[in-house]
Amino acid sequence: MNYYLGVDKKHNNTAFIAIDFYTFIKINLMLRSHFLENCIEAGTDEAGRGCLAGPVTAAAVILPHYFTNALLNDSKLLSEKNRAILKPLIIGEAISFSVTHLEPLLIDEINILNASLKAMQESILKLNVFPNHIIVDGNRPLISKGSQNNKMGKIFTSEEIQFLNSIPSTSIIKGDSKFMSIAAASVLAKTYRDEYMDRIHEEFPMYNWKQNKGYPTKEHRKAILKYGVTKYHRLTFKLLEDKR
């Protein structure tokens, strides 16, 4: 347990209040609720871009303006336990949220960048409340031609493309550690994807996806070398290490 100097309002004096250091940092560096005020704003993010197996998963979240949570941050900075705590809180408080998995066949067809953007676009379209503005984690624009032109997966209608193009969006580098709606989307994308990987682990337990979630660990690559690839592997990725 760590301590910080604060004000004891009950006794009207300064006091050392016991909190952990992480909570202290979060109180002082709270994420912003919205990029633009007075509008319905959705945050979107993805998980699983660097994996060798499994889907790339995106989420979109619209949070109310009053929403605040000292624990919420980029999912990569959170423990599995804290992500599990946050998931139902986000779902319960969100005005609207959606999650999209895009499978390896589509990733191999249009590449991982376009698949990540497409997953975020699909998540926006699945919201039951349409946003006036979208904030996106990263430095790429949400709308790109390569993410909408494909022969597999969901084919966007002209109306859906027009709708996506009509919503202003802002891409924010490290947005998942700056804005609550993007951070919330990162938590949902990560937790839903982890659950997906746990399910397919039961089908192919030799790759230990329950543990590595499809990421390029030494154990995962050794299993690929021994057992070969599955329908869940991304064939355009470097599945094996170079022999030296």
Side-chain angles (χ1 to χ4, degrees), residues 42-97:
T44 185
D45 199 5
E46 52 73 30
R49 277 185 63 173
C51 296
L52 303 181
V56 62
T57 301
V61 179
I62 300 174
L63 292 173
H65 281 264
Y66 62 77
F67 180 87
T68 184
N69 187 291
L71 185 61
L72 183 59
N73 206 334
D74 172 9
S75 65
K76 297 186 290 297
L77 302 178
L78 299 171
S79 67
E80 183 177 359
K81 177 182 177 181
N82 284 338
R83 290 194 296 267
I85 291 171
L86 284 165
K87 179 185 174 185
L89 295 177
I90 294 166
I91 291 172
E93 291 287 339
I95 294 171
S96 183
F97 79 93

Side-chain angles (χ1 to χ4, degrees), residues 10-56:
K10 183 177 180 180
H11 299 97
N12 195 29
N13 60 15
T14 59
F16 282 98
I17 302 172
I19 63 169
D20 63 89
F21 182 71
Y22 181 83
T23 302
F24 170 71
I25 292 297
K26 289 303 297 173
I27 289 171
N28 289 276
L29 298 176
M30 187 74 73
L31 277 63
R32 290 174 58 185
S33 64
H34 288 72
F35 183 82
L36 296 180
E37 299 297 331
N38 303 316
C39 74
I40 300 173
E41 186 171 83
T44 185
D45 199 5
E46 52 73 30
R49 277 185 63 173
C51 296
L52 303 181
V56 62

